[in-house]
Each structure stands twice: as structure tokens, then as C-alpha cells.
Amino acid sequence: MQTPSAKTVYVCQLCGFRSQKWLGRCPGCGEWNSFLTESDRPLRRVRNSSPVLEYPTVQQEKVERITTRNVEFDRVLGGGLVPGSLVLLGGEPGIGKSTLLLQIAESLSAQGLKTLYIAGEESIQQIKLRGERLGVQGRNLFLVAETSLEAIFTEVEALQPQILIVDSIQTVSTEKLESIPGTMGQVRECAAQFLSFAKQQNIAVFLIGHITKEGSLAGPKALEHIVDVVLYFEGDRHQNQKIVRAVKNRFGPSNELGIFEMSSRGLLCVENPSGLFLSERPESAAGSVVVCAMQGSRPILAELQALVSHSAYGTGRRMGNGVDPSRIALLLAMLEKRVGLQLSGSDIYVNVVGGLALQEPAIDLAVVAAIVSSFRNQPIGFRSVVFGEVGLAGEVRAVSFAQTRLKEALAMGFDWVMLPHGNLPLSGPVEPLRIQAVSSVQDAFDALF
Ligand code: TYD
Ligand code: MG
């Protein structure tokens, strides 16, 4: 451990908590051994004085967008790439970040947009090798192995690209700070400089950021408020389908999903996500139910599975994959209290198939239906879809986009939908779908089992 000088401050590498002393455990996020020293110089910002305007005189700028010619990537960006924007792409190592951005680099450069790819993680040869696999032609695509921020800016000045890809932000460092690359101070300062640079030069900049499970590197989480757009790869890297979610977008809707499939020639756009997520569904298996969830502007049908088994210990374990565990706990408490189900002695696992994370309350009814289906060992109809929010009193509450969800169920060949009574009357015909409207979980179970 270094002896702190007057200027030294300790910063948690995970959440950015600052302290005058070294601490074993971060009071901010609870992480152990996460403090490193960084010189406590304030981040310098470029300040241009700007005029004060009266509201009506403010000219609305039309946002021009560049298509990446990749349907799913354009979708997750909110309809294409905005020039001068700073986009962060985060995800676990090996999930496909470099692959995706090399494909996007090819597609943008093929349109005549000069693109510079900064290789900080891999050698130029390794990137070329990946490019060969992806069928990259690379006209207008330039590569440089560089990790100094100042040197990167010099290269950019010489080349004048319109697109810059930094792989990864954790390898870049500025001479202004003494700390090593990848530390919180470096990552934040470099990202902030890329932001003002992107705005001044009107260059679109992509930053790749690793998220490690151990959190040993400064997390891209700390950059979320700096950048314009935050995209994360969701799910785990072993599955073929790759989901990219916009968790923040200053130029478009957040929560939009891009769905890809990893192939031997890179990431392919998935045209029918519902079909993909339902492709391996078991027939007449207790605990399996199909839900229709809104993901951004798009309805997606997904299979929810629950497994309720007798616990070997007194208190049962509860695990959720793709469903918020605290939401599961709340729904289980409701089931015990309102429906009288004795679940405390059972282990309960809930899983969304395919690595999707579903966060809307509209999946509640499907979660309880899956749990009860497994508990009673009674399957739910194979061609049935269930959606609705569940309240603490066991009431089923109306959800938004009911008609959109029904259309998706219809398009995917389902024939029976259970939805909240509060969503009636429907705004249009949905024949030949049969509709079961319910106003309480008890009603729902009476209709399902
Ligand atoms: P990569 O893009 O290097 O991941 P990241 O940059 O997020 O660390 O690679 C992701 C994985 O994809 C890697 O295990 C190899 C695999 N892959 C394919 O299956 N097909 C391909 O065409 C390519 C280029 C990679
Ligand atoms: Mg990579």
C-alpha cells in the first residue's frame, strides 16, 4: 500500500466512491479490495460560453441518422447512428462486442464513411483474422494499435474519419493522469474527452467496455451518465442468441432490443425473435408458460419456466433468471396469503428461456401461472399465452399495449390468450384468438387448471 500524499485519494474501482483513506470494503457498493489511489486532479472540461436563449427562439435540430444497414443494430440505436454521438457497448468478455462492431465498421465504411478502429486489446493481425471470417472487405476502414488517448487524437486529426471505434475503453489512458489504464479515473477521463471530441468534430464514437463478473476492472457502469447511448449485451456468452439492449439513449427510446444469432460468419439479425425464443419449447410440460412481453417497441413471446421442488432444508431457495428475484418473492408471498398455497418449504426456480431479461410487471401473471403449474404438476395449454400485472391483493391489473401483444400471439399461431379484465374492451378484432379475461389470480387458476 502506498503512503497517501496530500493529493492522493482512494477511489473504488467499481462504483467510484472516493475516500481519503484506503478502505478494505467500499461503503458505496460493498465491494471488497476495490480501492486504488488516483491523483485527485479534477477532470478538466472544455467550456464554451453559450448564449442564453428564450424558449421560442430555440431552433429545433433535425436529428440526421446514418443507417448501419443492420436492421437489429439500427433498431437498438433508435433508428440508426447519430453523427457526433458517443455510444458505449458493454458486455462480458467473449460475448461478441468486437465481432459486432467490426461488422458495423465494415457496413459503415462500405457506404463511404471513413472508419478508424482502435485496437487496444488485440493485434491488428488478430482483427484481420476475425475480419476474414466475417467477409470484411474494408474499403475506407483503417486500423491502428494504440492505447494513448493523445496519440489516438493525433491519428484522428491526420486521418479525419467519420466513425471511430475504440476497442476497448479500458485499454486507453491519458497522459494527464498518473494512474494505470482501466482504473476508474482513467476510464472516466478518457470517456469524457471522447465525448467532447465527438461533439466538436461531429464524429460518431463507439467505446467498447468490458464488464467482468468479479468487477476487477472499472465498470462501464461508471460511464453511463457520460455517454449518449449505452448498449449492453445481455445473457450469457455460451448461448448462440445474442441480445443487445439499449439501457440509455439520448436520441431514441431506451429498452429497445437488438437480437442476433452468432454464426460461423459473425452475428446475423434474427427476423423472428418470438420464433427463436419458442423454438425448443417442450409440449405439455408442467411449469412452462408463454408470455408476451414488450421489449422496447416490439412485442416478444418468450417461454417462462418454473420449477417447484421439495426443499431438502427448512427454508426453500428462490432463484430467478431473467426475472427480478424480489418480484418473485413478492408474488410468492401473495400466493401464500391470497391463494393459500404452502410454498415456504419448496425450492423455487424461475427462468426465462433464451437469456432474455423481462422486467415489465405484465409478466407477473405468467410467473405465478408457471409456479402454480409446476407446484400442481399440471401443464398449461401449449397454444396459450398469458399476460397481466398482479397486485398484492391478488388482483390482476390492466397492462399497456394489449392489442399489440394479441397481434403477436396471433401471428405466432397461438389460439388462446389470458389477459386482465381491465384491458377489455379490445380496440380491434383478434379472431380466431379466444380471449379469457380475468380479474384475480384465483379466476386465472380456475380457468387454467
Ligand atoms: P468477440 O467478438 O471477440 O467477443 P468480445 O469482443 O465481446 O470479447 O468474440 C465472441 C465469440 O464469438 C468468440 O468466442 C468467437 C465467436 N465467433 C463466432 O462464433 N463466429 C464468428 O464469426 C466470430 C468472428 C466469432
Ligand atoms: Mg473484444
Side-chain angles (χ1 to χ4, degrees), residues 172-220:
V172 178
S173 62
T174 168
E175 291 156 13
K176 283 198 217 158
L177 299 180
E178 285 147 26
S179 46
I180 55 169
T183 51
M184 183 66 69
Q186 281 289 0
V187 165
R188 265 214 294 240
E189 174 64 14
C190 292
Q193 291 213 32
F194 276 121
L195 181 73
S196 50
F197 170 81
K199 303 293 163 208
Q200 279 163 13
Q201 313 273 322
N202 205 33
I203 295 177
V205 180
F206 289 97
L207 304 179
I208 287 180
H210 291 289
I211 302 174
T212 57
K213 287 201 173 126
E214 311 78 54
S216 55
L217 286 174

mmCIF file of all heavy atoms in Angstrom, residues 172-220:
data_model
loop_
_atom_site.group_PDB
_atom_site.id
_atom_site.type_symbol
_atom_site.label_atom_id
_atom_site.label_comp_id
_atom_site.label_asym_id
_atom_site.label_seq_id
_atom_site.Cartn_x
_atom_site.Cartn_y
_atom_site.Cartn_z
ATOM 1 N N VAL A 172 -7.362 2.299 -22.946
ATOM 2 C CA VAL A 172 -6.906 3.644 -23.296
ATOM 3 C C VAL A 172 -6.529 4.424 -22.037
ATOM 4 O O VAL A 172 -7.188 4.291 -21.010
ATOM 5 C CB VAL A 172 -8.018 4.399 -24.059
ATOM 6 C CG1 VAL A 172 -7.590 5.812 -24.401
ATOM 7 C CG2 VAL A 172 -8.394 3.644 -25.312
ATOM 8 N N SER A 173 -5.468 5.211 -22.126
ATOM 9 C CA SER A 173 -5.135 6.065 -20.982
ATOM 10 C C SER A 173 -4.631 7.417 -21.455
ATOM 11 O O SER A 173 -4.083 7.548 -22.545
ATOM 12 C CB SER A 173 -4.091 5.388 -20.094
ATOM 13 O OG SER A 173 -2.911 5.189 -20.832
ATOM 14 N N THR A 174 -4.857 8.412 -20.625
ATOM 15 C CA THR A 174 -4.397 9.760 -20.935
ATOM 16 C C THR A 174 -3.162 10.075 -20.102
ATOM 17 O O THR A 174 -3.048 9.647 -18.954
ATOM 18 C CB THR A 174 -5.499 10.819 -20.696
ATOM 19 O OG1 THR A 174 -4.888 12.112 -20.760
ATOM 20 C CG2 THR A 174 -6.160 10.655 -19.338
ATOM 21 N N GLU A 175 -2.259 10.845 -20.712
ATOM 22 C CA GLU A 175 -1.028 11.238 -20.006
ATOM 23 C C GLU A 175 -1.327 12.194 -18.855
ATOM 24 O O GLU A 175 -0.507 12.390 -17.980
ATOM 25 C CB GLU A 175 -0.073 11.927 -20.989
ATOM 26 C CG GLU A 175 0.482 10.968 -22.028
ATOM 27 C CD GLU A 175 0.927 11.683 -23.305
ATOM 28 O OE1 GLU A 175 1.027 12.933 -23.290
ATOM 29 O OE2 GLU A 175 1.163 10.988 -24.308
ATOM 30 N N LYS A 176 -2.511 12.792 -18.905
ATOM 31 C CA LYS A 176 -2.867 13.766 -17.873
ATOM 32 C C LYS A 176 -2.975 13.146 -16.488
ATOM 33 O O LYS A 176 -2.839 13.815 -15.483
ATOM 34 C CB LYS A 176 -4.223 14.382 -18.195
ATOM 35 C CG LYS A 176 -4.181 15.409 -19.274
ATOM 36 C CD LYS A 176 -5.458 16.211 -19.169
ATOM 37 C CE LYS A 176 -5.993 16.605 -20.516
ATOM 38 N NZ LYS A 176 -7.423 16.888 -20.429
ATOM 39 N N LEU A 177 -3.305 11.876 -16.443
ATOM 40 C CA LEU A 177 -3.441 11.200 -15.149
ATOM 41 C C LEU A 177 -2.300 10.206 -14.973
ATOM 42 O O LEU A 177 -1.835 9.609 -15.938
ATOM 43 C CB LEU A 177 -4.785 10.467 -15.056
ATOM 44 C CG LEU A 177 -6.054 11.311 -15.164
ATOM 45 C CD1 LEU A 177 -7.282 10.432 -15.057
ATOM 46 C CD2 LEU A 177 -6.102 12.400 -14.105
ATOM 47 N N GLU A 178 -1.898 10.032 -13.731
ATOM 48 C CA GLU A 178 -0.791 9.108 -13.480
ATOM 49 C C GLU A 178 -1.257 7.660 -13.330
ATOM 50 O O GLU A 178 -0.460 6.743 -13.424
ATOM 51 C CB GLU A 178 -0.056 9.529 -12.189
ATOM 52 C CG GLU A 178 0.815 10.748 -12.397
ATOM 53 C CD GLU A 178 0.891 11.611 -11.151
ATOM 54 O OE1 GLU A 178 0.706 11.070 -10.045
ATOM 55 O OE2 GLU A 178 1.117 12.828 -11.303
ATOM 56 N N SER A 179 -2.526 7.488 -13.075
ATOM 57 C CA SER A 179 -2.999 6.123 -12.796
ATOM 58 C C SER A 179 -2.949 5.247 -14.049
ATOM 59 O O SER A 179 -2.899 5.724 -15.173
ATOM 60 C CB SER A 179 -4.414 6.167 -12.240
ATOM 61 O OG SER A 179 -5.206 7.028 -13.012
ATOM 62 N N ILE A 180 -2.965 3.944 -13.831
ATOM 63 C CA ILE A 180 -2.810 2.985 -14.918
ATOM 64 C C ILE A 180 -4.126 2.834 -15.702
ATOM 65 O O ILE A 180 -5.192 3.143 -15.179
ATOM 66 C CB ILE A 180 -2.347 1.601 -14.388
ATOM 67 C CG1 ILE A 180 -3.315 1.108 -13.302
ATOM 68 C CG2 ILE A 180 -0.922 1.668 -13.864
ATOM 69 C CD1 ILE A 180 -3.096 -0.336 -12.934
ATOM 70 N N PRO A 181 -4.036 2.364 -16.964
ATOM 71 C CA PRO A 181 -5.249 2.178 -17.769
ATOM 72 C C PRO A 181 -6.234 1.248 -17.070
ATOM 73 O O PRO A 181 -5.826 0.333 -16.359
ATOM 74 C CB PRO A 181 -4.740 1.529 -19.058
ATOM 75 C CG PRO A 181 -3.288 1.782 -19.105
ATOM 76 C CD PRO A 181 -2.828 1.972 -17.703
ATOM 77 N N GLY A 182 -7.487 1.494 -17.287
ATOM 78 C CA GLY A 182 -8.502 0.617 -16.726
ATOM 79 C C GLY A 182 -9.003 1.036 -15.363
ATOM 80 O O GLY A 182 -10.002 0.513 -14.882
ATOM 81 N N THR A 183 -8.318 1.988 -14.739
ATOM 82 C CA THR A 183 -8.797 2.448 -13.432
ATOM 83 C C THR A 183 -9.937 3.448 -13.644
ATOM 84 O O THR A 183 -10.089 4.020 -14.722
ATOM 85 C CB THR A 183 -7.678 3.111 -12.624
ATOM 86 O OG1 THR A 183 -7.060 4.092 -13.443
ATOM 87 C CG2 THR A 183 -6.637 2.102 -12.174
ATOM 88 N N MET A 184 -10.693 3.631 -12.590
ATOM 89 C CA MET A 184 -11.868 4.483 -12.678
ATOM 90 C C MET A 184 -11.558 5.872 -13.238
ATOM 91 O O MET A 184 -12.239 6.369 -14.121
ATOM 92 C CB MET A 184 -12.478 4.596 -11.277
ATOM 93 C CG MET A 184 -13.745 5.391 -11.210
ATOM 94 S SD MET A 184 -15.091 4.614 -12.081
ATOM 95 C CE MET A 184 -15.374 3.219 -11.024
ATOM 96 N N GLY A 185 -10.497 6.488 -12.713
ATOM 97 C CA GLY A 185 -10.149 7.847 -13.140
ATOM 98 C C GLY A 185 -9.814 7.892 -14.617
ATOM 99 O O GLY A 185 -10.299 8.765 -15.348
ATOM 100 N N GLN A 186 -9.018 6.943 -15.080
ATOM 101 C CA GLN A 186 -8.620 6.891 -16.492
ATOM 102 C C GLN A 186 -9.825 6.676 -17.398
ATOM 103 O O GLN A 186 -10.018 7.383 -18.383
ATOM 104 C CB GLN A 186 -7.613 5.749 -16.714
ATOM 105 C CG GLN A 186 -6.201 6.057 -16.298
ATOM 106 C CD GLN A 186 -5.517 7.071 -17.232
ATOM 107 O OE1 GLN A 186 -6.100 7.538 -18.197
ATOM 108 N NE2 GLN A 186 -4.288 7.408 -16.912
ATOM 109 N N VAL A 187 -10.617 5.685 -17.053
ATOM 110 C CA VAL A 187 -11.756 5.332 -17.894
ATOM 111 C C VAL A 187 -12.721 6.510 -18.008
ATOM 112 O O VAL A 187 -13.190 6.853 -19.094
ATOM 113 C CB VAL A 187 -12.451 4.072 -17.323
ATOM 114 C CG1 VAL A 187 -13.827 3.876 -17.927
ATOM 115 C CG2 VAL A 187 -11.589 2.839 -17.572
ATOM 116 N N ARG A 188 -12.955 7.156 -16.865
ATOM 117 C CA ARG A 188 -13.887 8.283 -16.873
ATOM 118 C C ARG A 188 -13.339 9.482 -17.622
ATOM 119 O O ARG A 188 -14.043 10.121 -18.402
ATOM 120 C CB ARG A 188 -14.218 8.681 -15.442
ATOM 121 C CG ARG A 188 -15.499 8.029 -14.967
ATOM 122 C CD ARG A 188 -16.228 8.953 -14.048
ATOM 123 N NE ARG A 188 -15.442 9.128 -12.845
ATOM 124 C CZ ARG A 188 -15.883 8.810 -11.627
ATOM 125 N NH1 ARG A 188 -17.084 8.322 -11.471
ATOM 126 N NH2 ARG A 188 -15.131 9.006 -10.593
ATOM 127 N N GLU A 189 -12.072 9.802 -17.381
ATOM 128 C CA GLU A 189 -11.469 10.957 -18.037
ATOM 129 C C GLU A 189 -11.408 10.733 -19.550
ATOM 130 O O GLU A 189 -11.737 11.632 -20.332
ATOM 131 C CB GLU A 189 -10.063 11.208 -17.465
ATOM 132 C CG GLU A 189 -9.260 12.300 -18.151
ATOM 133 C CD GLU A 189 -9.870 13.693 -18.033
ATOM 134 O OE1 GLU A 189 -10.781 13.880 -17.194
ATOM 135 O OE2 GLU A 189 -9.446 14.588 -18.785
ATOM 136 N N CYS A 190 -10.996 9.532 -19.970
ATOM 137 C CA CYS A 190 -10.906 9.253 -21.412
ATOM 138 C C CYS A 190 -12.291 9.317 -22.051
ATOM 139 O O CYS A 190 -12.462 9.895 -23.121
ATOM 140 C CB CYS A 190 -10.265 7.892 -21.666
ATOM 141 S SG CYS A 190 -8.523 7.855 -21.218
ATOM 142 N N ALA A 191 -13.292 8.755 -21.382
ATOM 143 C CA ALA A 191 -14.652 8.786 -21.940
ATOM 144 C C ALA A 191 -15.139 10.224 -22.067
ATOM 145 O O ALA A 191 -15.740 10.600 -23.073
ATOM 146 C CB ALA A 191 -15.599 7.969 -21.082
ATOM 147 N N ALA A 192 -14.850 11.041 -21.045
ATOM 148 C CA ALA A 192 -15.291 12.439 -21.082
ATOM 149 C C ALA A 192 -14.605 13.173 -22.238
ATOM 150 O O ALA A 192 -15.228 13.985 -22.927
ATOM 151 C CB ALA A 192 -14.982 13.122 -19.757
ATOM 152 N N GLN A 193 -13.335 12.853 -22.468
ATOM 153 C CA GLN A 193 -12.632 13.501 -23.583
ATOM 154 C C GLN A 193 -13.157 13.024 -24.932
ATOM 155 O O GLN A 193 -13.248 13.802 -25.874
ATOM 156 C CB GLN A 193 -11.132 13.227 -23.471
ATOM 157 C CG GLN A 193 -10.549 13.966 -22.280
ATOM 158 C CD GLN A 193 -9.124 14.418 -22.542
ATOM 159 O OE1 GLN A 193 -8.748 14.720 -23.676
ATOM 160 N NE2 GLN A 193 -8.333 14.456 -21.489
ATOM 161 N N PHE A 194 -13.503 11.747 -25.014
ATOM 162 C CA PHE A 194 -14.096 11.252 -26.262
ATOM 163 C C PHE A 194 -15.434 11.941 -26.520
ATOM 164 O O PHE A 194 -15.789 12.210 -27.656
ATOM 165 C CB PHE A 194 -14.292 9.729 -26.226
ATOM 166 C CG PHE A 194 -13.057 8.955 -26.600
ATOM 167 C CD1 PHE A 194 -12.481 8.057 -25.717
ATOM 168 C CD2 PHE A 194 -12.482 9.127 -27.849
ATOM 169 C CE1 PHE A 194 -11.341 7.341 -26.066
ATOM 170 C CE2 PHE A 194 -11.338 8.414 -28.214
ATOM 171 C CZ PHE A 194 -10.770 7.525 -27.317
ATOM 172 N N LEU A 195 -16.158 12.225 -25.449
ATOM 173 C CA LEU A 195 -17.457 12.880 -25.614
ATOM 174 C C LEU A 195 -17.292 14.274 -26.209
ATOM 175 O O LEU A 195 -17.916 14.610 -27.216
ATOM 176 C CB LEU A 195 -18.208 12.967 -24.284
ATOM 177 C CG LEU A 195 -19.587 13.630 -24.395
ATOM 178 C CD1 LEU A 195 -20.587 12.696 -25.076
ATOM 179 C CD2 LEU A 195 -20.132 14.056 -23.041
ATOM 180 N N SER A 196 -16.420 15.115 -25.600
ATOM 181 C CA SER A 196 -16.303 16.472 -26.128
ATOM 182 C C SER A 196 -15.685 16.448 -27.521
ATOM 183 O O SER A 196 -16.054 17.232 -28.389
ATOM 184 C CB SER A 196 -15.523 17.384 -25.177
ATOM 185 O OG SER A 196 -14.330 16.775 -24.801
ATOM 186 N N PHE A 197 -14.821 15.458 -27.745
ATOM 187 C CA PHE A 197 -14.218 15.286 -29.056
ATOM 188 C C PHE A 197 -15.279 14.913 -30.103
ATOM 189 O O PHE A 197 -15.329 15.488 -31.196
ATOM 190 C CB PHE A 197 -13.161 14.186 -28.933
ATOM 191 C CG PHE A 197 -12.606 13.706 -30.221
ATOM 192 C CD1 PHE A 197 -11.610 14.418 -30.864
ATOM 193 C CD2 PHE A 197 -13.084 12.544 -30.795
ATOM 194 C CE1 PHE A 197 -11.098 13.972 -32.066
ATOM 195 C CE2 PHE A 197 -12.572 12.100 -31.991
ATOM 196 C CZ PHE A 197 -11.584 12.816 -32.634
ATOM 197 N N ALA A 198 -16.142 13.989 -29.753
ATOM 198 C CA ALA A 198 -17.198 13.559 -30.681
ATOM 199 C C ALA A 198 -18.086 14.732 -31.070
ATOM 200 O O ALA A 198 -18.460 14.895 -32.227
ATOM 201 C CB ALA A 198 -18.035 12.444 -30.052
ATOM 202 N N LYS A 199 -18.419 15.564 -30.075
ATOM 203 C CA LYS A 199 -19.300 16.707 -30.331
ATOM 204 C C LYS A 199 -18.600 17.754 -31.199
ATOM 205 O O LYS A 199 -19.180 18.275 -32.142
ATOM 206 C CB LYS A 199 -19.728 17.380 -29.021
ATOM 207 C CG LYS A 199 -20.413 16.470 -28.031
ATOM 208 C CD LYS A 199 -21.759 15.988 -28.516
ATOM 209 C CE LYS A 199 -22.192 14.780 -27.715
ATOM 210 N NZ LYS A 199 -23.067 13.877 -28.432
ATOM 211 N N GLN A 200 -17.329 18.057 -30.832
ATOM 212 C CA GLN A 200 -16.619 19.106 -31.573
ATOM 213 C C GLN A 200 -16.380 18.720 -33.023
ATOM 214 O O GLN A 200 -16.531 19.527 -33.923
ATOM 215 C CB GLN A 200 -15.262 19.366 -30.921
ATOM 216 C CG GLN A 200 -15.354 20.275 -29.708
ATOM 217 C CD GLN A 200 -14.094 20.186 -28.861
ATOM 218 O OE1 GLN A 200 -13.074 19.650 -29.284
ATOM 219 N NE2 GLN A 200 -14.172 20.724 -27.659
ATOM 220 N N GLN A 201 -15.986 17.466 -33.242
ATOM 221 C CA GLN A 201 -15.606 17.031 -34.584
ATOM 222 C C GLN A 201 -16.775 16.408 -35.344
ATOM 223 O O GLN A 201 -16.616 16.031 -36.500
ATOM 224 C CB GLN A 201 -14.488 15.986 -34.499
ATOM 225 C CG GLN A 201 -13.359 16.346 -33.579
ATOM 226 C CD GLN A 201 -12.299 17.169 -34.285
ATOM 227 O OE1 GLN A 201 -12.000 16.933 -35.447
ATOM 228 N NE2 GLN A 201 -11.752 18.141 -33.589
ATOM 229 N N ASN A 202 -17.904 16.244 -34.678
ATOM 230 C CA ASN A 202 -19.056 15.579 -35.275
ATOM 231 C C ASN A 202 -18.723 14.166 -35.785
ATOM 232 O O ASN A 202 -19.115 13.758 -36.869
ATOM 233 C CB ASN A 202 -19.653 16.438 -36.396
ATOM 234 C CG ASN A 202 -21.116 16.116 -36.615
ATOM 235 O OD1 ASN A 202 -21.826 15.776 -35.668
ATOM 236 N ND2 ASN A 202 -21.562 16.201 -37.853
ATOM 237 N N ILE A 203 -17.946 13.464 -34.980
ATOM 238 C CA ILE A 203 -17.570 12.088 -35.310
ATOM 239 C C ILE A 203 -18.356 11.166 -34.382
ATOM 240 O O ILE A 203 -18.456 11.445 -33.191
ATOM 241 C CB ILE A 203 -16.053 11.866 -35.070
ATOM 242 C CG1 ILE A 203 -15.240 12.735 -36.035
ATOM 243 C CG2 ILE A 203 -15.671 10.401 -35.205
ATOM 244 C CD1 ILE A 203 -13.740 12.633 -35.825
ATOM 245 N N ALA A 204 -18.903 10.103 -34.930
ATOM 246 C CA ALA A 204 -19.579 9.130 -34.060
ATOM 247 C C ALA A 204 -18.513 8.216 -33.458
ATOM 248 O O ALA A 204 -17.681 7.676 -34.172
ATOM 249 C CB ALA A 204 -20.584 8.310 -34.863
ATOM 250 N N VAL A 205 -18.545 8.091 -32.140
ATOM 251 C CA VAL A 205 -17.524 7.283 -31.456
ATOM 252 C C VAL A 205 -18.191 6.118 -30.723
ATOM 253 O O VAL A 205 -19.150 6.310 -29.977
ATOM 254 C CB VAL A 205 -16.729 8.142 -30.438
ATOM 255 C CG1 VAL A 205 -15.675 7.294 -29.732
ATOM 256 C CG2 VAL A 205 -16.078 9.344 -31.116
ATOM 257 N N PHE A 206 -17.664 4.921 -30.966
ATOM 258 C CA PHE A 206 -18.112 3.745 -30.216
ATOM 259 C C PHE A 206 -17.034 3.371 -29.211
ATOM 260 O O PHE A 206 -15.864 3.267 -29.568
ATOM 261 C CB PHE A 206 -18.280 2.530 -31.147
ATOM 262 C CG PHE A 206 -19.458 2.639 -32.073
ATOM 263 C CD1 PHE A 206 -19.282 3.084 -33.380
ATOM 264 C CD2 PHE A 206 -20.724 2.288 -31.645
ATOM 265 C CE1 PHE A 206 -20.370 3.174 -34.242
ATOM 266 C CE2 PHE A 206 -21.814 2.373 -32.499
ATOM 267 C CZ PHE A 206 -21.632 2.817 -33.805
ATOM 268 N N LEU A 207 -17.417 3.177 -27.972
ATOM 269 C CA LEU A 207 -16.492 2.690 -26.954
ATOM 270 C C LEU A 207 -16.919 1.281 -26.563
ATOM 271 O O LEU A 207 -18.070 1.061 -26.187
ATOM 272 C CB LEU A 207 -16.540 3.573 -25.700
ATOM 273 C CG LEU A 207 -16.280 5.067 -25.858
ATOM 274 C CD1 LEU A 207 -16.405 5.763 -24.502
ATOM 275 C CD2 LEU A 207 -14.906 5.316 -26.461
ATOM 276 N N ILE A 208 -15.987 0.342 -26.642
ATOM 277 C CA ILE A 208 -16.283 -0.997 -26.139
ATOM 278 C C ILE A 208 -15.851 -1.035 -24.680
ATOM 279 O O ILE A 208 -14.790 -0.508 -24.333
ATOM 280 C CB ILE A 208 -15.539 -2.065 -26.971
ATOM 281 C CG1 ILE A 208 -16.200 -2.195 -28.348
ATOM 282 C CG2 ILE A 208 -15.517 -3.418 -26.240
ATOM 283 C CD1 ILE A 208 -15.572 -3.208 -29.268
ATOM 284 N N GLY A 209 -16.679 -1.598 -23.806
ATOM 285 C CA GLY A 209 -16.332 -1.681 -22.385
ATOM 286 C C GLY A 209 -16.597 -3.070 -21.847
ATOM 287 O O GLY A 209 -17.657 -3.646 -22.084
ATOM 288 N N HIS A 210 -15.613 -3.616 -21.146
ATOM 289 C CA HIS A 210 -15.799 -4.951 -20.567
ATOM 290 C C HIS A 210 -16.502 -4.862 -19.244
ATOM 291 O O HIS A 210 -16.234 -3.990 -18.447
ATOM 292 C CB HIS A 210 -14.456 -5.632 -20.303
ATOM 293 C CG HIS A 210 -13.772 -5.992 -21.556
ATOM 294 N ND1 HIS A 210 -14.226 -6.996 -22.366
ATOM 295 C CD2 HIS A 210 -12.694 -5.460 -22.159
ATOM 296 C CE1 HIS A 210 -13.438 -7.068 -23.421
ATOM 297 N NE2 HIS A 210 -12.505 -6.151 -23.326
ATOM 298 N N ILE A 211 -17.350 -5.816 -19.020
ATOM 299 C CA ILE A 211 -17.943 -5.957 -17.697
ATOM 300 C C ILE A 211 -17.485 -7.315 -17.192
ATOM 301 O O ILE A 211 -17.795 -8.335 -17.802
ATOM 302 C CB ILE A 211 -19.471 -5.953 -17.768
ATOM 303 C CG1 ILE A 211 -19.934 -4.666 -18.420
ATOM 304 C CG2 ILE A 211 -20.073 -6.109 -16.394
ATOM 305 C CD1 ILE A 211 -21.407 -4.637 -18.673
ATOM 306 N N THR A 212 -16.707 -7.327 -16.148
ATOM 307 C CA THR A 212 -16.287 -8.617 -15.619
ATOM 308 C C THR A 212 -17.130 -8.936 -14.410
ATOM 309 O O THR A 212 -17.554 -8.043 -13.687
ATOM 310 C CB THR A 212 -14.803 -8.618 -15.202
ATOM 311 O OG1 THR A 212 -14.628 -7.580 -14.252
ATOM 312 C CG2 THR A 212 -13.911 -8.379 -16.378
ATOM 313 N N LYS A 213 -17.381 -10.222 -14.211
ATOM 314 C CA LYS A 213 -18.214 -10.617 -13.086
ATOM 315 C C LYS A 213 -17.550 -10.258 -11.769
ATOM 316 O O LYS A 213 -18.207 -9.895 -10.811
ATOM 317 C CB LYS A 213 -18.509 -12.110 -13.169
ATOM 318 C CG LYS A 213 -19.495 -12.378 -14.287
ATOM 319 C CD LYS A 213 -20.216 -13.691 -14.126
ATOM 320 C CE LYS A 213 -21.307 -13.826 -15.163
ATOM 321 N NZ LYS A 213 -21.197 -15.036 -15.940
ATOM 322 N N GLU A 214 -16.215 -10.315 -11.733
ATOM 323 C CA GLU A 214 -15.504 -10.015 -10.488
ATOM 324 C C GLU A 214 -15.441 -8.512 -10.241
ATOM 325 O O GLU A 214 -15.146 -8.072 -9.147
ATOM 326 C CB GLU A 214 -14.075 -10.550 -10.510
ATOM 327 C CG GLU A 214 -13.912 -12.000 -10.934
ATOM 328 C CD GLU A 214 -14.003 -12.172 -12.448
ATOM 329 O OE1 GLU A 214 -13.246 -11.493 -13.168
ATOM 330 O OE2 GLU A 214 -14.848 -12.968 -12.904
ATOM 331 N N GLY A 215 -15.690 -7.730 -11.312
ATOM 332 C CA GLY A 215 -15.637 -6.278 -11.161
ATOM 333 C C GLY A 215 -14.234 -5.762 -10.925
ATOM 334 O O GLY A 215 -14.046 -4.722 -10.304
ATOM 335 N N SER A 216 -13.214 -6.487 -11.435
ATOM 336 C CA SER A 216 -11.849 -6.058 -11.183
ATOM 337 C C SER A 216 -11.449 -4.863 -12.038
ATOM 338 O O SER A 216 -10.540 -4.129 -11.697
ATOM 339 C CB SER A 216 -10.874 -7.211 -11.432
ATOM 340 O OG SER A 216 -11.064 -7.701 -12.739
ATOM 341 N N LEU A 217 -12.138 -4.676 -13.159
ATOM 342 C CA LEU A 217 -11.862 -3.503 -13.975
ATOM 343 C C LEU A 217 -12.930 -2.458 -13.711
ATOM 344 O O LEU A 217 -14.042 -2.785 -13.352
ATOM 345 C CB LEU A 217 -11.900 -3.873 -15.461
ATOM 346 C CG LEU A 217 -10.718 -4.666 -15.999
ATOM 347 C CD1 LEU A 217 -10.991 -5.075 -17.415
ATOM 348 C CD2 LEU A 217 -9.461 -3.829 -15.927
ATOM 349 N N ALA A 218 -12.548 -1.208 -13.908
ATOM 350 C CA ALA A 218 -13.522 -0.135 -13.719
ATOM 351 C C ALA A 218 -14.710 -0.386 -14.630
ATOM 352 O O ALA A 218 -14.568 -0.536 -15.830
ATOM 353 C CB ALA A 218 -12.878 1.193 -14.061
ATOM 354 N N GLY A 219 -15.854 -0.484 -14.051
ATOM 355 C CA GLY A 219 -17.033 -0.894 -14.804
ATOM 356 C C GLY A 219 -17.548 0.190 -15.724
ATOM 357 O O GLY A 219 -17.503 1.357 -15.396
ATOM 358 N N PRO A 220 -18.055 -0.224 -16.902
ATOM 359 C CA PRO A 220 -18.701 0.736 -17.789
ATOM 360 C C PRO A 220 -19.886 1.430 -17.118
ATOM 361 O O PRO A 220 -20.314 2.478 -17.567
ATOM 362 C CB PRO A 220 -19.177 -0.128 -18.955
ATOM 363 C CG PRO A 220 -18.305 -1.320 -18.936
ATOM 364 C CD PRO A 220 -17.982 -1.554 -17.489
#
